[in-house]
Amino acid sequence: MDKNLFFPGYERYSSTTSSPSRKGKVKNERKTFSLNMTELFHSDLYGEMPQSFTTPLPALEPYHGEIPTRLAPFNEAYAYKYYNCTVHFFINDLLFIRVLRNPEKYLEFFKKCHSVIGTDLSQYANMPAEERYLCAYINSAFSAYLQRNGVRVIPNITWSLPDSYAYSWSTMPRNSVIAINCKGVLKHDLSKYLWYRGYEEAIAMLHPSLIIRFGTRMPFEHSEISIYFFNERLMRLRYGS
């Protein structure tokens, strides 16, 4: 089946062409904030602040535990003390930035939960390359911190432009259960292309045993190794609760 039927403009960005300059969805299209990376970075918990792209991201251990049956966003899970669920961070950064600023405060809560999917600090294509890299580093560093302290963590696979692939997955576990989110990419053809290209690259490199997929099922996914969870807030807005 022709990918171009599902991804208009896909043929303009084949793997042999130069990378698109922007992701389609950019910072000023939603309420956001200016990240102070040094404010989020705890050297005593995460290690030294990386000085260049040659600094590897913290390595994560594979997840081979029980498969999630229920996902809940961090802000709701913490407010209502939902322990029998897998906590995710596929929400606005503002709703979980407090966790990165003070991870020790929430550690006991995460330990009681079924499992936790790694954070999803946003990486926009029009961010400076250094900022995108630091977002990826903090995501991995936080997940590694939780694992060291006994939390069951499902690695969350994130990326931005193709230049992020080399560092995004270099220290991610192979043959593990992983999580991948597609929230926010459906409104832009270029975003869909970049998501699809990164998705295929990640699967080829990591060979996951299972993919916990959050968001709308996309064409050409590896559905045979995926289980799907949909955006709870969007479902409530559409159908009520």
Side-chain angles (χ1 to χ4, degrees):
M1 191 175 292
D2 185 1
K3 293 183 177 65
N4 297 332
L5 295 176
F6 294 92
F7 297 96
Y10 185 96
E11 71 285 352
R12 297 198 302 274
Y13 302 107
S14 69
S15 59
T16 59
T17 63
S18 59
S19 302
S21 60
R22 57 194 297 269
K23 193 173 181 178
K25 183 175 182 179
V26 295
K27 262 187 169 180
N28 58 9
E29 288 184 339
R30 74 170 187 175
K31 292 181 180 179
T32 186
F33 62 102
S34 178
L35 277 176
N36 182 340
M37 291 298 171
T38 57
E39 185 180 327
L40 297 181
F41 205 91
H42 295 262
S43 59
D44 54 335
L45 302 180
Y46 300 156
E48 292 301 318
M49 174 77 83
Q51 300 301 312
S52 71
F53 296 151
T54 60
T55 305
L57 271 61
L60 299 187
E61 297 294 325
Y63 179 86
H64 298 302
E66 293 183 358
I67 303 306
T69 58
R70 179 191 179 196
L71 266 59
F74 162 75
N75 54 320
E76 292 184 13
Y78 185 73
Y80 297 105
K81 297 301 181 283
Y82 294 152
Y83 298 121
N84 190 26
C85 70
T86 295
V87 177
H88 72 79
F89 298 90
F90 303 132
I91 50 180
N92 191 299
D93 295 348
L94 286 170
L95 297 176
F96 69 84
I97 207 71
R98 54 181 167 149
V99 177
L100 299 174
R101 286 183 173 137
N102 189 10
E104 294 171 300
K105 176 181 177 180
Y106 303 94
L107 185 58
E108 290 305 313
F109 167 72
F110 291 134
K111 286 182 178 180
K112 294 177 182 178
C113 294
H114 173 279
S115 51
V116 176
I117 294 174
T119 48
D120 198 59
L121 196 60
S122 298
Q123 300 170 56
Y124 293 91
N126 62 340
M127 283 178 168
E130 295 82 1
E131 189 172 340
R132 289 188 286 117
Y133 173 77
L134 284 174
C135 284
Y137 193 99
I138 290 173
N139 283 332
S140 288
F142 177 74
S143 294
Y145 164 77
L146 293 183
Q147 286 187 335
R148 290 196 304 272
N149 286 278
V151 178
R152 294 172 290 276
V153 176
I154 299 174
N156 181 37
I157 308 304
T158 65
W159 63 91
S160 52
L161 295 176
D163 65 358
S164 72
Y165 299 167
Y167 61 76
S168 293
W169 311 319
S170 59
T171 55
M172 286 291 171
R174 272 62 171 171
N175 305 303
S176 169
V177 177
I178 62 172
I180 294 180
N181 165 45
C182 76
K183 180 183 173 184
V185 307
L186 294 176
K187 294 181 181 180
H188 305 273
D189 293 337
L190 189 53
S191 294
K192 285 188 286 187
Y193 160 73
L194 288 170
W195 182 90
Y196 183 80
R197 180 173 173 183
Y199 171 88
E200 288 293 343
E201 293 280 352
I203 302 309
M205 178 177 290
L206 301 177
H207 303 288
S209 59
L210 181 72
I211 305 171
I212 308 301
R213 271 283 291 106
F214 184 82
T216 304
R217 187 181 302 209
M218 301 283 276
F220 306 103
E221 283 197 54
H222 295 265
S223 57
E224 72 281 0
I225 57 169
S226 302
I227 58 174
Y228 293 85
F229 296 88
F230 299 99
N231 187 339
E232 306 93 340
R233 180 174 178 274
L234 183 59
M235 298 295 284
R236 288 197 296 268
L237 289 173
R238 285 179 177 174
Y239 305 112
S241 60

Short mmCIF file of all heavy atoms in Angstrom, two decimals, residues 130-161:
data_model
loop_
_atom_site.label_atom_id
_atom_site.label_comp_id
_atom_site.label_asym_id
_atom_site.label_seq_id
_atom_site.Cartn_x
_atom_site.Cartn_y
_atom_site.Cartn_z
N GLU A 130 20.68 22.22 20.94
CA GLU A 130 21.16 21.97 22.30
C GLU A 130 20.01 21.78 23.28
O GLU A 130 20.06 20.94 24.18
CB GLU A 130 22.04 23.12 22.78
CG GLU A 130 23.34 23.30 22.01
CD GLU A 130 23.15 24.06 20.70
OE1 GLU A 130 21.99 24.48 20.41
OE2 GLU A 130 24.14 24.25 19.98
N GLU A 131 18.93 22.54 23.09
CA GLU A 131 17.78 22.43 23.98
C GLU A 131 17.04 21.12 23.78
O GLU A 131 16.61 20.47 24.74
CB GLU A 131 16.84 23.62 23.77
CG GLU A 131 15.74 23.71 24.82
CD GLU A 131 14.94 24.98 24.70
OE1 GLU A 131 15.43 25.95 24.10
OE2 GLU A 131 13.81 25.01 25.22
N ARG A 132 16.91 20.70 22.53
CA ARG A 132 16.27 19.41 22.26
C ARG A 132 17.07 18.28 22.89
O ARG A 132 16.50 17.34 23.45
CB ARG A 132 16.13 19.19 20.75
CG ARG A 132 15.11 20.08 20.09
CD ARG A 132 14.86 19.71 18.64
NE ARG A 132 15.95 20.10 17.76
CZ ARG A 132 16.71 19.27 17.06
NH1 ARG A 132 16.53 17.95 17.15
NH2 ARG A 132 17.68 19.72 16.29
N TYR A 133 18.39 18.38 22.79
CA TYR A 133 19.25 17.36 23.37
C TYR A 133 19.09 17.31 24.90
O TYR A 133 18.99 16.23 25.49
CB TYR A 133 20.72 17.64 23.01
CG TYR A 133 21.70 16.75 23.72
CD1 TYR A 133 21.88 15.43 23.30
CD2 TYR A 133 22.42 17.20 24.82
CE1 TYR A 133 22.78 14.59 23.96
CE2 TYR A 133 23.31 16.37 25.48
CZ TYR A 133 23.48 15.07 25.04
OH TYR A 133 24.35 14.24 25.69
N LEU A 134 19.05 18.46 25.54
CA LEU A 134 18.92 18.49 26.99
C LEU A 134 17.56 17.96 27.44
O LEU A 134 17.47 17.31 28.50
CB LEU A 134 19.15 19.90 27.51
CG LEU A 134 20.60 20.36 27.56
CD1 LEU A 134 20.69 21.82 27.96
CD2 LEU A 134 21.42 19.50 28.51
N CYS A 135 16.51 18.20 26.66
CA CYS A 135 15.21 17.63 26.99
C CYS A 135 15.29 16.10 26.96
O CYS A 135 14.78 15.42 27.86
CB CYS A 135 14.15 18.11 26.00
SG CYS A 135 13.59 19.81 26.26
N ALA A 136 15.93 15.56 25.92
CA ALA A 136 16.09 14.11 25.83
C ALA A 136 16.93 13.60 26.99
O ALA A 136 16.64 12.54 27.57
CB ALA A 136 16.75 13.74 24.49
N TYR A 137 17.97 14.34 27.37
CA TYR A 137 18.84 13.91 28.46
C TYR A 137 18.07 13.87 29.78
O TYR A 137 18.17 12.92 30.55
CB TYR A 137 20.04 14.85 28.58
CG TYR A 137 21.13 14.29 29.46
CD1 TYR A 137 22.25 13.67 28.91
CD2 TYR A 137 21.05 14.37 30.85
CE1 TYR A 137 23.24 13.13 29.72
CE2 TYR A 137 22.03 13.83 31.66
CZ TYR A 137 23.13 13.22 31.09
OH TYR A 137 24.10 12.68 31.89
N ILE A 138 17.29 14.91 30.04
CA ILE A 138 16.53 14.96 31.29
C ILE A 138 15.49 13.84 31.34
O ILE A 138 15.30 13.21 32.39
CB ILE A 138 15.89 16.34 31.47
CG1 ILE A 138 16.98 17.39 31.75
CG2 ILE A 138 14.86 16.33 32.61
CD1 ILE A 138 16.49 18.81 31.77
N ASN A 139 14.83 13.57 30.22
CA ASN A 139 13.88 12.45 30.19
C ASN A 139 14.56 11.14 30.60
O ASN A 139 14.05 10.39 31.43
CB ASN A 139 13.29 12.29 28.79
CG ASN A 139 12.21 13.31 28.47
OD1 ASN A 139 11.53 13.80 29.37
ND2 ASN A 139 12.05 13.62 27.19
N SER A 140 15.72 10.87 30.03
CA SER A 140 16.43 9.63 30.34
C SER A 140 16.98 9.64 31.76
O SER A 140 16.94 8.63 32.47
CB SER A 140 17.57 9.41 29.34
OG SER A 140 17.06 9.04 28.08
N ALA A 141 17.52 10.78 32.18
CA ALA A 141 18.11 10.87 33.52
C ALA A 141 17.05 10.65 34.60
O ALA A 141 17.30 9.97 35.61
CB ALA A 141 18.79 12.22 33.71
N PHE A 142 15.87 11.20 34.40
CA PHE A 142 14.80 11.02 35.37
C PHE A 142 14.36 9.55 35.43
O PHE A 142 14.17 8.99 36.51
CB PHE A 142 13.61 11.91 35.02
CG PHE A 142 12.43 11.72 35.93
CD1 PHE A 142 12.45 12.22 37.22
CD2 PHE A 142 11.31 11.03 35.50
CE1 PHE A 142 11.36 12.03 38.07
CE2 PHE A 142 10.22 10.84 36.34
CZ PHE A 142 10.25 11.34 37.63
N SER A 143 14.22 8.92 34.27
CA SER A 143 13.83 7.51 34.24
C SER A 143 14.88 6.63 34.91
O SER A 143 14.55 5.70 35.65
CB SER A 143 13.61 7.06 32.80
OG SER A 143 12.50 7.71 32.22
N ALA A 144 16.15 6.93 34.65
CA ALA A 144 17.23 6.17 35.27
C ALA A 144 17.23 6.35 36.79
O ALA A 144 17.47 5.41 37.54
CB ALA A 144 18.58 6.59 34.68
N TYR A 145 16.94 7.57 37.23
CA TYR A 145 16.84 7.84 38.67
C TYR A 145 15.74 7.00 39.30
O TYR A 145 15.93 6.38 40.36
CB TYR A 145 16.57 9.33 38.90
CG TYR A 145 16.08 9.67 40.28
CD1 TYR A 145 16.97 9.71 41.36
CD2 TYR A 145 14.73 9.92 40.50
CE1 TYR A 145 16.50 10.00 42.64
CE2 TYR A 145 14.27 10.22 41.78
CZ TYR A 145 15.15 10.26 42.84
OH TYR A 145 14.70 10.54 44.11
N LEU A 146 14.57 6.93 38.66
CA LEU A 146 13.49 6.11 39.19
C LEU A 146 13.89 4.64 39.25
O LEU A 146 13.62 3.95 40.25
CB LEU A 146 12.23 6.28 38.34
CG LEU A 146 11.54 7.64 38.35
CD1 LEU A 146 10.27 7.58 37.50
CD2 LEU A 146 11.21 8.10 39.77
N GLN A 147 14.51 4.14 38.18
CA GLN A 147 14.92 2.73 38.17
C GLN A 147 15.90 2.43 39.30
O GLN A 147 15.80 1.39 39.96
CB GLN A 147 15.53 2.37 36.81
CG GLN A 147 14.50 2.22 35.70
CD GLN A 147 15.11 1.71 34.42
OE1 GLN A 147 16.31 1.88 34.15
NE2 GLN A 147 14.30 1.07 33.59
N ARG A 148 16.86 3.32 39.53
CA ARG A 148 17.84 3.09 40.60
C ARG A 148 17.17 3.01 41.97
O ARG A 148 17.72 2.42 42.90
CB ARG A 148 18.89 4.22 40.61
CG ARG A 148 19.84 4.22 39.46
CD ARG A 148 21.05 5.10 39.75
NE ARG A 148 20.70 6.47 40.11
CZ ARG A 148 20.53 7.46 39.24
NH1 ARG A 148 20.65 7.22 37.93
NH2 ARG A 148 20.24 8.68 39.65
N ASN A 149 16.00 3.62 42.09
CA ASN A 149 15.31 3.67 43.37
C ASN A 149 14.12 2.73 43.44
O ASN A 149 13.22 2.92 44.27
CB ASN A 149 14.88 5.11 43.66
CG ASN A 149 16.04 6.00 44.06
OD1 ASN A 149 16.46 6.00 45.22
ND2 ASN A 149 16.59 6.72 43.10
N GLY A 150 14.11 1.73 42.59
CA GLY A 150 13.14 0.65 42.73
C GLY A 150 11.80 0.85 42.06
O GLY A 150 10.86 0.08 42.30
N VAL A 151 11.67 1.87 41.22
CA VAL A 151 10.41 2.08 40.49
C VAL A 151 10.43 1.26 39.21
O VAL A 151 11.46 1.17 38.53
CB VAL A 151 10.22 3.57 40.15
CG1 VAL A 151 8.93 3.80 39.36
CG2 VAL A 151 10.21 4.40 41.44
N ARG A 152 9.30 0.65 38.88
CA ARG A 152 9.17 -0.12 37.64
C ARG A 152 8.91 0.86 36.49
O ARG A 152 7.82 1.40 36.38
CB ARG A 152 8.04 -1.15 37.77
CG ARG A 152 8.33 -2.23 38.80
CD ARG A 152 7.12 -3.11 39.05
NE ARG A 152 6.08 -2.38 39.78
CZ ARG A 152 6.05 -2.24 41.10
NH1 ARG A 152 7.01 -2.78 41.84
NH2 ARG A 152 5.08 -1.57 41.70
N VAL A 153 9.92 1.06 35.64
CA VAL A 153 9.86 2.08 34.59
C VAL A 153 9.81 1.43 33.22
O VAL A 153 10.64 0.58 32.89
CB VAL A 153 11.08 3.02 34.67
CG1 VAL A 153 11.06 4.02 33.51
CG2 VAL A 153 11.11 3.75 36.01
N ILE A 154 8.83 1.85 32.42
CA ILE A 154 8.76 1.46 31.02
C ILE A 154 9.45 2.57 30.21
O ILE A 154 9.00 3.72 30.24
CB ILE A 154 7.31 1.29 30.56
CG1 ILE A 154 6.64 0.18 31.38
CG2 ILE A 154 7.24 0.97 29.07
CD1 ILE A 154 5.14 0.02 31.11
N PRO A 155 10.53 2.26 29.50
CA PRO A 155 11.23 3.31 28.75
C PRO A 155 10.31 3.97 27.73
O PRO A 155 9.61 3.29 26.97
CB PRO A 155 12.37 2.55 28.06
CG PRO A 155 12.60 1.35 28.92
CD PRO A 155 11.23 0.96 29.42
N ASN A 156 10.31 5.29 27.74
CA ASN A 156 9.53 6.07 26.78
C ASN A 156 10.44 6.52 25.66
O ASN A 156 11.44 7.19 25.89
CB ASN A 156 8.91 7.28 27.48
CG ASN A 156 8.07 8.12 26.54
OD1 ASN A 156 7.39 7.59 25.67
ND2 ASN A 156 8.11 9.43 26.71
N ILE A 157 10.11 6.16 24.43
CA ILE A 157 10.96 6.44 23.28
C ILE A 157 10.52 7.75 22.64
O ILE A 157 9.40 7.88 22.15
CB ILE A 157 10.90 5.29 22.25
CG1 ILE A 157 11.17 3.95 22.94
CG2 ILE A 157 11.88 5.54 21.12
CD1 ILE A 157 12.46 3.87 23.68
N THR A 158 11.41 8.74 22.65
CA THR A 158 11.09 10.05 22.10
C THR A 158 12.14 10.46 21.08
O THR A 158 13.26 9.93 21.07
CB THR A 158 11.03 11.12 23.21
OG1 THR A 158 12.35 11.27 23.79
CG2 THR A 158 10.05 10.72 24.30
N TRP A 159 11.78 11.41 20.24
CA TRP A 159 12.71 11.94 19.24
C TRP A 159 12.16 13.25 18.71
O TRP A 159 11.04 13.65 19.03
CB TRP A 159 12.91 10.94 18.09
CG TRP A 159 11.66 10.63 17.30
CD1 TRP A 159 11.21 11.26 16.18
CD2 TRP A 159 10.70 9.59 17.58
NE1 TRP A 159 10.03 10.70 15.74
CE2 TRP A 159 9.71 9.67 16.57
CE3 TRP A 159 10.58 8.61 18.56
CZ2 TRP A 159 8.60 8.80 16.54
CZ3 TRP A 159 9.50 7.75 18.53
CH2 TRP A 159 8.52 7.85 17.54
N SER A 160 12.92 13.93 17.90
CA SER A 160 12.45 15.16 17.25
C SER A 160 12.80 15.07 15.77
O SER A 160 12.17 14.32 15.02
CB SER A 160 13.04 16.40 17.93
OG SER A 160 14.45 16.31 18.03
N LEU A 161 13.84 15.79 15.35
CA LEU A 161 14.30 15.69 13.97
C LEU A 161 15.24 14.50 13.82
O LEU A 161 15.72 13.94 14.80
CB LEU A 161 15.03 16.99 13.58
CG LEU A 161 14.17 18.25 13.54
CD1 LEU A 161 15.03 19.46 13.23
CD2 LEU A 161 13.03 18.13 12.53
#
